[in-house]
Amino acid sequence: MVNTTRMQMPDLGAIVPTGRDAASVRRRVEALEHLLEGLFTIPGIKRKVGLDVILDVLPVGGDVIGAAMGAYMVWEARNLGISKVQMARMFGNVGTDFLLGLIPFVGAIPDFFFRSNTRNLKIIKKHLDKHHPSTAVIEG
């Protein structure tokens, strides 16, 4: 009998926490932003690109999926108790990204430069650092 090895599936709870506490939400939102905006780096220009730009290959559906994922970040922020003004700014970022992505053939170019999810992550981090300082992470 041949010895075979089984691949161990990673514990998704360790990768993307499922808790409702502020630290879990922070890690979840950071993981989503990384997925949407910084999945890999384009060689030569060293610019990070994520699923948000890749989804623009699908004419309208890709923009809808990207906007839905961006709206999920806003929903997570709402659960943290973020102010309505900040939520409006975040929805404005998602809406702008959605509308720019709808431009035929060149919609990926504005998506490449207008990083709505990164902007929204900064708003969420600022709120978390102020209201939940125990979740702060020292970035180096």
Side-chain angles (χ1 to χ4, degrees):
M1 193 163 185
V2 178
N3 253 349
T4 60
T5 58
R6 290 186 179 174
M7 289 181 54
Q8 293 286 335
M9 292 298 293
D11 179 21
L12 291 179
I15 296 171
V16 181
T18 57
R20 292 184 179 186
D21 59 303
S24 295
V25 171
R26 181 185 197 111
R27 286 195 305 258
R28 231 181 356 256
V29 171
E30 287 173 345
L32 183 60
E33 187 271 340
H34 177 73
L35 175 71
L36 290 171
E37 304 290 2
L39 208 50
F40 61 91
T41 305
I42 297 176
I45 61 172
K46 296 184 181 178
R47 179 80 174 180
K48 290 194 176 241
V49 176
L51 197 58
D52 196 24
V53 172
I54 296 168
L55 283 172
D56 280 337
V57 173
L58 302 173
V60 175
D63 296 313
V64 171
I65 293 169
M69 294 175 84
Y72 174 75
M73 285 181 71
V74 180
W75 182 76
E76 286 281 15
R78 178 194 159 274
N79 291 339
L80 290 171
I82 205 162
S83 74
K84 290 182 181 183
V85 172
Q86 290 171 320
M87 281 181 49
R89 283 183 57 209
M90 292 174 71
F91 272 124
N93 288 336
V94 172
T96 302
D97 188 26
F98 175 71
L99 292 174
L100 290 173
L102 286 177
I103 301 169
F105 304 112
V106 294
I109 296 169
D111 254 355
F112 185 73
F113 294 107
F114 184 78
R115 299 162 110 39
S116 66
N117 300 301
T118 303
R119 292 170 186 243
N120 288 346
L121 180 64
K122 286 180 184 178
I123 293 170
I124 293 171
K125 280 183 173 182
K126 186 176 177 182
H127 172 80
L128 284 171
D129 291 346
K130 182 177 180 182
H131 297 286
H132 303 278
S134 63
T135 66
V137 177
I138 298 173
E139 298 175 13

